[in-house]
Amino acid sequence: MDELLAAVSRMMVKHENFKTCAQSGFCNRNRAYADNALSTSKWAAPYSLDPASVRFDKGVLTGTISKKTTTNEIVRLPLTVAFYESGTARVTLDEEKRQKGDIELRHASKAKKQRYNEAEQWAIVGGTTISTGAATSKDAEKGTTKIVYGPASKFEAVIRHVPFGVEFKRDGETQIKLNDRGLLNMEHWRPKVDKPAPEKKEGDDEKKEGEEAMAAGSDKEMAEDESTWWDESFGGNTDSKPRGPESVALDIEFPGYEHVYGVAEHAGPLSLKETRGGDGKYSEPYRLYNSDVFEYEMDSPMTLYGAIPFMQAHKKDSTVGVFWLNAAETWVDITKATTSANPLSFGIGSSVTTQTHWISEAGLLDVFIFLGPKPQDVIGAYTELTGYTQLPQQFAIAYHQCRWNYVTDEDVRDVDRKFDKYKIPYDVIWLDIEYTEGKKYFTWDPMTFPDPLGMNKQLDEHERKLVAIIDPHIKNEGNYPIVEELKSKDLAVHNKDDTIYEGWCWPGSSYWIDCFSPKGREWWKGLFRYDKFKGTMKNVFIWNDMNEPSVFNGPETTMPKDNLHHDHWEHRDLHNINGMTLVNATYDALLARDKVEDKHHVRPFVLTRSFYSGSQRLGAMWTGDNQAAWPHLEASIPMLLSMGVSGFPFAGADVGGFFGNPSKELLTRWYQAGAFYPFFRGHAHIDTRRREPYLAGEPYTEIITQALRLRYALLPAWYTAFHEASVSGAPIIRPNYYVHPGDEKGFGIDDQFYLGSYGLLAKPVTKEGQEGQDIYLADKEKYYDYFDFWTYEGPGTVNVAAPLDTIPFLMQGGHIIPRRDRPRRSSGLMRYDPFTLVVVLGNSGDAEGTLYLDDGESFDFQDGGYLHRRFSYASSTSTLMSEDLAASTGKKTKEYLKQMEKVRVEKVIIVGAPAAWKGKGEVELSEEQGGKSSAARKVALDWHDKEEGKAAWAVVRDPGVQIGSGWKIAFP
Ligand code: NOJ
């Protein structure tokens, strides 16, 4: 083992710093509850819906659920089931006593008494129009209430009264069951009753934290285990838990569904694993508790930096999903049960059922149900609720060069010049925390960055940008106006006793801006104005890091859960949303900054490490501190695919690996993979050696340059895919199950993917020394090598040669791909470059593809300043045509189209061209002008014969047609 590998394998997450389920009181209690319920044949779930309380009015059902406690008291839980126009249903459960504030807090706490009910204010932005068509059905079985809803009234919610449970059906077939296993648990408020301490038994002292609870919880009699109800300690910190036990849990079953995806962010396979032990399975639930997990490990359900409590279940030709809207710490157990082949059952297609158990520490029970049937229906409905990815500026989807740190402004200028010298394209250079004066954000170190504006102006000469880091911890030091204001205006997060909370991060002693506070956000917004954050200009954008928040001396490297935020919500209530609120404020700040100065304001760009459902509206995320090791390169692909199907497709991983020094081979392969990350940034730890692409030396520098150029050439396709994401939530890189939802063999595949809707199929090499790649083709279609048109035929697995200079990358027949082939220094300089259209003919002989284009920076597209074209080739008429797809026009349409008049198609390449064209040297071309077709022109058609294994292809050089207008090219 060489030195590097040894170093990497020594790096390991410190498990002892993070809780296991057994060490987390509420997780442990709920697992024990489940064990008890599932092992007791006479288990009677204690929740029932009082039929007399049920009302159904205009798409919303309300009622009261009664919980019978172990001491036979009745706890009232108000229930709402809402049916939305989109076909989404929502089940919400609260607790009356807490809702009314009718509880007592311990430790003289000032915390809010209610269950947190503001998650929706952050996460939900649309899709909640109540359905007018939803109706109660008379043919409900006794003891149930049935609601018929959704598109063409194909959906049904069958609500069982005793014990309470809901079955969701589509076309009469059950898709999702709530509380079918009786694990619904809403821990009601009760006062602490001090009991004599239990006598110590021998060996008790050796038990680890949390283990007593495990032991007590497994008692079949289920006398309630109170050992973790109140003050709870971990790693030397005690959580005062002033409201006592308050968890919410529910089992959600997907009958007949073998695969589930989602609950990002975890470093593991796309298709989620079972979590209750056994061969190749996890023994811990998937955890969602945004954390700065130092040296995180692969193939693990451990929590990471962000949380998206959205899950899809998939089986042949059917996808359904749930969204668990809860911002508190959450754990999800997954088990799969094989149902025996019962001829009377309707569970055709799969005999495996996936059962999940969702457990949150606090808050409402609030779950959204999506009934599909296609993956895009589910993702579309989820993103209609939580918002679509903002259409980024074009630079943001080009290449970003980062490291911790570029050390001076001259260093930045030098790197900028070197990229040019080596003719390597890049758009953005980044500054990590060292640019500041002593880690005081919004300042520049005067010794190392004396001239930030000069630096930014140099970047701007080639339309390049700067991204500077701004973290949420504010240094606690005199003579720093920002901290003075933060304190005097009382805008920081508070301790449990309501005084300002102080903790440790990069600057040492720090305070944390509370972006839940409207006043705090307003203040934050002001800090980014050009006259405040001096040294910045229009080409400067922001990176929000450490926003879980990361607190070096806090419990599990974050804030104490009993800290208080705006309106006295406990940190526990909203932890997973915390990171998103900072990015939201930064996004608004960038918007405001430009609005003040300039009408033609540009779209913000913010990168975040921490995120929640809805963060996709605000910018990009990356997977945090990975390692310069092959397994981390490999893991990046399923992780990013998972983000894509979780509604947050603008995602990337540190190219090259953050910790450690990659070998040149690894670095090269990482760039080849990174060229397919929706967010494409090279980054490295401060202790690593410099690794800008031009330093690698030949042949590496050249190979990396080719990968970067490939990204730049395909920017029109990437941008169009981003546009699609911005209006429908569709993933940008797409796993097999998403593209081929009927192909059961591909449901677990997560190491290859399609780019947008273009049939572009990539499988980057992620293993050392590998020179060939097996690619799985799901359908009976022709696939061509992107570079040399070598032809493969699906279905099945094909082997593609992959020496170091080659990326396994295929084009599926039937698509038209827009490209810009001229190498430039940055994407901004490609604005008026001509296009190449690659027409890929498959089995049917037809092909189509789209192109969305706008100025790539402003909001003019909202006023119609864009073009949207559909290109199609019909074999029946041998004609390629360009049609308008624009949904609407506006006051900027004319101006934009006028600007684009000079942008032409410079080349049309037809791959898999029909042999009949051979020797027929011309095509006939006509353009639309003022609603009429121009006189036909003839243009040469170059023919290239089939070579062994490779397809025939033809080229129309310089057809001269405009990219933004209508035209036809008639082939022979
Ligand atoms: C942690 C981030 O994950 C990393 O990318 C960054 O370089 C360091 N913080 C320093 O800011």
Side-chain angles (χ1 to χ4, degrees), residues 903-953:
V903 179
R904 298 142 68 88
V905 176
E906 67 173 342
K907 211 192 265 185
V908 177
I909 303 175
I910 298 93
V911 181
W917 295 0
K918 189 174 177 178
K920 305 214 172 107
E922 279 175 345
V923 296
E924 218 173 72
L925 187 157
S926 60
E927 282 175 274
E928 228 173 65
Q929 275 159 0
K932 284 193 219 130
S933 279
S934 68
R937 281 191 283 131
K938 295 208 162 157
V939 179
L941 176 70
D942 296 347
W943 175 260
H944 300 265
D945 247 338
K946 238 186 182 159
E947 280 173 44
E948 212 207 323
K950 296 180 190 167
W953 53 292

Coordinates of all heavy atoms in Angstrom, one line a residue, residues 903-953:
V903 N -26.8 34.2 -34.7 CA -26.3 32.9 -34.3 C -26.8 31.8 -35.2 O -28.0 31.6 -35.3 CB -26.7 32.6 -32.8 CG1 -26.2 31.3 -32.3 CG2 -26.1 33.8 -31.9
R904 N -25.9 31.1 -35.8 CA -26.3 30.1 -36.8 C -26.0 28.7 -36.4 O -25.2 28.4 -35.5 CB -25.5 30.4 -38.1 CG -25.9 31.8 -38.6 CD -24.6 32.4 -39.2 NE -24.2 31.8 -40.4 CZ -24.6 32.0 -41.6 NH1 -25.5 33.0 -41.8 NH2 -24.1 31.4 -42.7
V905 N -26.6 27.8 -37.2 CA -26.2 26.4 -37.1 C -25.0 26.2 -38.0 O -25.1 26.5 -39.2 CB -27.4 25.4 -37.5 CG1 -26.9 24.0 -37.5 CG2 -28.6 25.6 -36.6
E906 N -23.9 25.8 -37.5 CA -22.7 25.7 -38.4 C -22.5 24.3 -38.9 O -21.7 24.0 -39.9 CB -21.4 26.2 -37.8 CG -20.9 25.4 -36.6 CD -19.6 25.8 -36.1 OE1 -18.9 26.5 -36.8 OE2 -19.2 25.5 -35.0
K907 N -23.2 23.3 -38.3 CA -23.0 21.9 -38.7 C -24.2 21.1 -38.3 O -24.7 21.2 -37.2 CB -21.7 21.4 -38.0 CG -20.9 20.4 -38.8 CD -19.9 19.8 -37.8 CE -18.6 20.5 -37.9 NZ -17.6 19.8 -37.1
V908 N -24.6 20.2 -39.2 CA -25.6 19.2 -38.8 C -24.9 17.8 -39.0 O -24.5 17.5 -40.2 CB -26.9 19.3 -39.6 CG1 -27.8 18.1 -39.1 CG2 -27.5 20.6 -39.4
I909 N -24.8 17.0 -38.0 CA -24.2 15.7 -38.2 C -25.3 14.6 -38.0 O -26.0 14.7 -37.0 CB -23.1 15.4 -37.1 CG1 -22.0 16.6 -37.2 CG2 -22.5 14.1 -37.2 CD1 -21.0 16.5 -36.0
I910 N -25.4 13.8 -39.0 CA -26.4 12.7 -38.8 C -25.7 11.4 -38.6 O -24.9 10.9 -39.4 CB -27.3 12.6 -40.1 CG1 -28.1 13.9 -40.3 CG2 -28.3 11.4 -39.9 CD1 -27.4 14.8 -41.2
V911 N -25.9 10.8 -37.4 CA -25.2 9.6 -37.1 C -26.2 8.4 -37.4 O -27.3 8.5 -37.0 CB -24.8 9.6 -35.6 CG1 -24.1 8.3 -35.2 CG2 -24.0 10.8 -35.2
G912 N -25.6 7.4 -38.0 CA -26.5 6.3 -38.4 C -27.3 6.7 -39.7 O -28.4 6.3 -39.9
A913 N -26.6 7.5 -40.5 CA -27.3 8.0 -41.7 C -27.7 6.9 -42.7 O -26.9 5.9 -42.8 CB -26.4 9.0 -42.4
P914 N -28.8 7.0 -43.3 CA -29.3 5.9 -44.3 C -28.3 5.7 -45.5 O -27.9 6.8 -46.0 CB -30.7 6.3 -44.7 CG -31.0 7.6 -44.0 CD -29.8 8.0 -43.2
A915 N -28.1 4.5 -45.8 CA -27.1 4.2 -46.9 C -27.6 4.9 -48.2 O -26.8 5.2 -49.1 CB -27.0 2.7 -47.1
A916 N -28.9 5.1 -48.3 CA -29.4 5.6 -49.6 C -28.9 7.0 -49.9 O -29.0 7.5 -51.0 CB -30.9 5.7 -49.5
W917 N -28.3 7.7 -48.9 CA -27.8 9.1 -49.1 C -26.5 9.1 -49.8 O -26.0 10.1 -50.2 CB -27.7 9.8 -47.8 CG -29.0 10.1 -47.1 CD1 -30.2 9.7 -47.5 CD2 -29.1 10.7 -45.8 NE1 -31.1 10.1 -46.5 CE2 -30.5 10.7 -45.5 CE3 -28.2 11.3 -44.9 CZ2 -31.0 11.3 -44.3 CZ3 -28.7 11.9 -43.8 CH2 -30.1 11.9 -43.5
K918 N -25.8 7.9 -49.7 CA -24.5 7.8 -50.3 C -24.4 8.3 -51.7 O -25.3 7.9 -52.5 CB -24.0 6.4 -50.2 CG -22.6 6.2 -50.5 CD -22.1 4.8 -50.3 CE -20.7 4.7 -50.7 NZ -20.1 3.4 -50.5
G919 N -23.5 9.2 -52.0 CA -23.4 9.7 -53.4 C -24.4 10.7 -53.8 O -24.3 11.3 -54.8
K920 N -25.3 11.0 -52.9 CA -26.3 12.1 -53.2 C -25.8 13.3 -52.4 O -26.1 13.4 -51.3 CB -27.7 11.7 -52.8 CG -28.1 10.4 -53.4 CD -29.6 10.4 -53.7 CE -30.0 9.1 -54.5 NZ -30.7 8.2 -53.7
G921 N -25.1 14.2 -53.1 CA -24.3 15.2 -52.4 C -25.0 16.4 -51.9 O -24.3 17.4 -51.5
E922 N -26.3 16.5 -51.9 CA -27.0 17.8 -51.5 C -28.2 17.6 -50.6 O -28.9 16.6 -50.7 CB -27.4 18.5 -52.8 CG -26.3 19.2 -53.5 CD -26.8 19.8 -54.8 OE1 -27.8 19.5 -55.3 OE2 -26.0 20.7 -55.3
V923 N -28.4 18.7 -49.8 CA -29.7 18.8 -49.1 C -30.4 20.1 -49.6 O -29.7 21.0 -50.1 CB -29.6 18.8 -47.6 CG1 -29.0 17.5 -47.1 CG2 -28.7 20.0 -47.1
E924 N -31.7 20.1 -49.4 CA -32.4 21.3 -49.8 C -32.9 22.0 -48.5 O -33.5 21.4 -47.7 CB -33.5 20.9 -50.7 CG -33.7 21.9 -51.8 CD -34.8 21.4 -52.8 OE1 -36.0 21.4 -52.4 OE2 -34.4 21.0 -53.9
L925 N -32.7 23.3 -48.5 CA -33.0 24.0 -47.2 C -33.9 25.2 -47.4 O -33.7 26.0 -48.4 CB -31.6 24.4 -46.8 CG -31.1 25.0 -45.6 CD1 -29.6 24.7 -45.5 CD2 -31.3 26.4 -45.7
S926 N -34.9 25.3 -46.6 CA -35.7 26.5 -46.7 C -36.0 27.1 -45.3 O -36.1 26.4 -44.3 CB -37.1 26.2 -47.3 OG -37.7 25.2 -46.6
E927 N -36.0 28.4 -45.2 CA -36.2 29.1 -43.9 C -37.5 29.8 -43.9 O -38.0 30.3 -44.9 CB -35.0 30.1 -43.8 CG -33.7 29.5 -43.4 CD -32.6 30.5 -43.3 OE1 -32.0 30.8 -44.4 OE2 -32.4 31.1 -42.2
E928 N -38.0 30.0 -42.7 CA -39.2 30.7 -42.4 C -38.8 32.2 -42.3 O -38.0 32.5 -41.5 CB -39.8 30.3 -41.1 CG -41.2 29.9 -41.0 CD -41.5 29.4 -39.7 OE1 -41.4 30.2 -38.7 OE2 -41.8 28.2 -39.6
Q929 N -39.5 33.0 -43.1 CA -39.2 34.4 -43.0 C -40.5 35.2 -43.0 O -41.3 35.0 -44.0 CB -38.3 34.9 -44.1 CG -36.8 34.7 -43.7 CD -35.9 34.6 -44.9 OE1 -36.4 34.8 -46.1 NE2 -34.6 34.4 -44.7
G930 N -40.8 35.9 -42.0 CA -42.1 36.6 -41.9 C -43.3 35.7 -42.2 O -44.2 36.1 -42.9
G931 N -43.3 34.5 -41.6 CA -44.4 33.6 -41.7 C -44.4 32.8 -43.0 O -45.2 31.9 -43.2
K932 N -43.5 33.1 -43.9 CA -43.4 32.4 -45.2 C -42.1 31.6 -45.3 O -41.1 32.0 -44.7 CB -43.5 33.4 -46.4 CG -44.9 33.9 -46.6 CD -44.9 34.6 -48.0 CE -45.7 35.9 -47.8 NZ -45.1 37.1 -48.4
S933 N -42.1 30.6 -46.2 CA -40.9 29.9 -46.4 C -40.1 30.5 -47.5 O -40.6 31.0 -48.5 CB -41.2 28.4 -46.9 OG -41.5 27.6 -45.8
S934 N -38.8 30.6 -47.3 CA -37.9 31.2 -48.3 C -37.8 30.3 -49.5 O -38.1 29.1 -49.4 CB -36.6 31.5 -47.7 OG -35.9 30.3 -47.5
A935 N -37.2 30.8 -50.6 CA -36.9 29.9 -51.7 C -35.9 28.9 -51.2 O -35.0 29.2 -50.4 CB -36.3 30.7 -52.8
A936 N -36.0 27.7 -51.7 CA -35.1 26.6 -51.3 C -33.6 26.9 -51.8 O -33.4 27.4 -52.9 CB -35.6 25.3 -51.8
R937 N -32.7 26.5 -50.9 CA -31.2 26.6 -51.2 C -30.7 25.2 -51.2 O -31.1 24.4 -50.4 CB -30.5 27.4 -50.2 CG -30.7 28.9 -50.3 CD -29.7 29.6 -49.4 NE -30.1 29.6 -47.9 CZ -29.3 29.2 -47.0 NH1 -28.0 28.8 -47.2 NH2 -29.7 29.2 -45.7
K938 N -29.6 25.0 -51.9 CA -29.0 23.7 -51.8 C -27.6 23.8 -51.1 O -26.9 24.8 -51.3 CB -28.7 23.2 -53.2 CG -30.0 22.9 -53.9 CD -30.0 21.8 -55.0 CE -31.4 21.4 -55.2 NZ -31.7 20.8 -56.4
V939 N -27.4 22.8 -50.3 CA -26.1 22.8 -49.5 C -25.5 21.4 -49.6 O -26.3 20.4 -49.6 CB -26.4 23.2 -48.0 CG1 -25.1 23.2 -47.2 CG2 -27.0 24.6 -47.9
A940 N -24.2 21.4 -49.6 CA -23.5 20.1 -49.8 C -23.8 19.1 -48.6 O -23.9 19.6 -47.4 CB -22.0 20.3 -49.9
L941 N -23.8 17.9 -48.9 CA -23.9 16.8 -47.8 C -22.7 15.9 -48.0 O -22.5 15.3 -49.0 CB -25.2 16.0 -48.0 CG -25.4 14.8 -47.1 CD1 -25.7 15.3 -45.7 CD2 -26.6 14.0 -47.6
D942 N -21.9 15.9 -46.9 CA -20.7 15.0 -47.0 C -21.1 13.6 -46.4 O -21.7 13.6 -45.4 CB -19.6 15.6 -46.1 CG -19.1 16.9 -46.5 OD1 -19.4 17.3 -47.7 OD2 -18.4 17.6 -45.8
W943 N -20.6 12.7 -47.1 CA -21.0 11.3 -46.7 C -19.8 10.6 -46.1 O -18.6 10.7 -46.6 CB -21.5 10.5 -47.9 CG -21.7 9.1 -47.6 CD1 -20.9 8.0 -47.8 CD2 -22.9 8.6 -46.9 NE1 -21.5 6.9 -47.4 CE2 -22.7 7.2 -46.8 CE3 -24.0 9.1 -46.3 CZ2 -23.6 6.3 -46.1 CZ3 -24.9 8.3 -45.7 CH2 -24.7 6.9 -45.6
H944 N -19.9 9.8 -45.0 CA -18.9 9.0 -44.4 C -19.4 7.6 -44.3 O -20.3 7.3 -43.5 CB -18.4 9.6 -43.1 CG -18.0 11.0 -43.1 ND1 -16.6 11.3 -43.3 CD2 -18.6 12.1 -43.2 CE1 -16.5 12.6 -43.4 NE2 -17.7 13.1 -43.3
D945 N -18.7 6.7 -45.0 CA -19.2 5.3 -45.0 C -19.0 4.6 -43.6 O -18.2 5.0 -42.8 CB -18.3 4.5 -46.0 CG -19.2 4.1 -47.2 OD1 -20.4 4.1 -47.0 OD2 -18.6 3.9 -48.3
K946 N -19.8 3.6 -43.5 CA -19.7 2.7 -42.3 C -18.3 2.2 -42.3 O -17.8 1.8 -43.3 CB -20.6 1.6 -42.7 CG -21.7 1.3 -41.7 CD -22.4 0.0 -42.1 CE -23.5 -0.2 -41.2 NZ -24.5 -1.1 -41.6
E947 N -17.7 2.1 -41.1 CA -16.5 1.3 -41.0 C -16.8 0.2 -40.1 O -17.8 0.3 -39.4 CB -15.4 2.2 -40.4 CG -14.7 3.2 -41.4 CD -13.8 4.1 -40.6 OE1 -13.0 3.6 -39.8 OE2 -13.9 5.3 -40.9
E948 N -15.9 -0.7 -40.0 CA -16.2 -1.9 -39.2 C -16.6 -1.5 -37.8 O -15.9 -0.8 -37.1 CB -15.0 -2.8 -39.1 CG -15.4 -4.2 -39.0 CD -14.3 -5.0 -38.3 OE1 -13.1 -4.8 -38.5 OE2 -14.7 -5.9 -37.5
G949 N -17.8 -1.9 -37.4 CA -18.3 -1.6 -36.1 C -18.9 -0.2 -35.9 O -19.6 0.1 -34.9
K950 N -18.5 0.7 -36.8 CA -19.0 2.1 -36.6 C -20.0 2.5 -37.6 O -20.0 2.0 -38.8 CB -17.8 3.0 -36.8 CG -16.7 2.9 -35.8 CD -15.6 3.8 -36.0 CE -14.4 3.5 -35.1 NZ -13.2 4.1 -35.6
A951 N -20.9 3.4 -37.2 CA -22.0 3.8 -38.0 C -21.6 4.7 -39.2 O -20.6 5.4 -39.1 CB -23.0 4.5 -37.2
A952 N -22.4 4.7 -40.2 CA -22.2 5.7 -41.3 C -22.7 7.0 -40.8 O -23.6 7.0 -39.9 CB -23.0 5.3 -42.5
W953 N -22.1 8.1 -41.2 CA -22.6 9.4 -40.8 C -22.4 10.4 -42.0 O -21.7 10.2 -42.9 CB -21.8 9.9 -39.6 CG -20.3 9.9 -39.6 CD1 -19.5 8.8 -39.7 CD2 -19.5 11.0 -39.6 NE1 -18.2 9.2 -39.7 CE2 -18.1 10.5 -39.7 CE3 -19.7 12.4 -39.6 CZ2 -17.0 11.4 -39.7 CZ3 -18.6 13.2 -39.6 CH2 -17.3 12.7 -39.7

